[in-house]
Amino acid sequence: MTDTPQRPALPDRLSVHPGPHHVPAVFEHDIGIVFNGKERFDVEEYCVSEGWIKVPAGKTKDRKGRPLLIQLKGTVEAFYK
């Protein structure tokens, strides 16, 4: 019998930055995002039910030093790698 660590269910909405949609237990595992049929590696936040992701807009930073994000709409699928 092998002990495999239980992965928490992926939430409908998840953010990389600390806040109401940040779930630290999920980030202990590798997560993948498929957006409109292609895997994306630059996603900062997503929402499956509303169908959007937020990605950095170039090298532009906000006043807190985080990248400015743009919202893209389409089909979003989240999965564990």
Side-chain angles (χ1 to χ4, degrees):
M1 202 184 263
T2 59
D3 292 325
T4 58
Q6 280 293 76
R7 296 178 179 172
L10 285 170
D12 177 58
R13 185 170 177 180
L14 185 65
S15 176
V16 174
H17 304 291
H21 300 292
H22 180 76
V23 181
V26 171
F27 289 107
E28 294 175 1
H29 309 282
D30 288 334
I31 303 168
I33 302 294
V34 175
F35 180 70
N36 289 338
K38 294 184 180 179
E39 188 170 3
R40 299 285 303 244
F41 301 99
D42 59 347
V43 176
E44 299 275 332
E45 188 173 348
Y46 75 82
C47 184
V48 175
S49 64
E50 295 177 14
W52 56 261
I53 61 172
K54 290 187 180 181
V55 295
K59 296 181 180 180
T60 309
K61 305 280 184 189
D62 67 4
R63 63 183 178 186
K64 295 180 182 176
R66 293 186 282 183
L68 281 179
L69 303 176
I70 57 172
Q71 184 171 329
L72 304 175
K73 294 186 181 231
T75 305
V76 180
E77 299 171 34
F79 62 94
Y80 284 112
K81 292 184 179 181

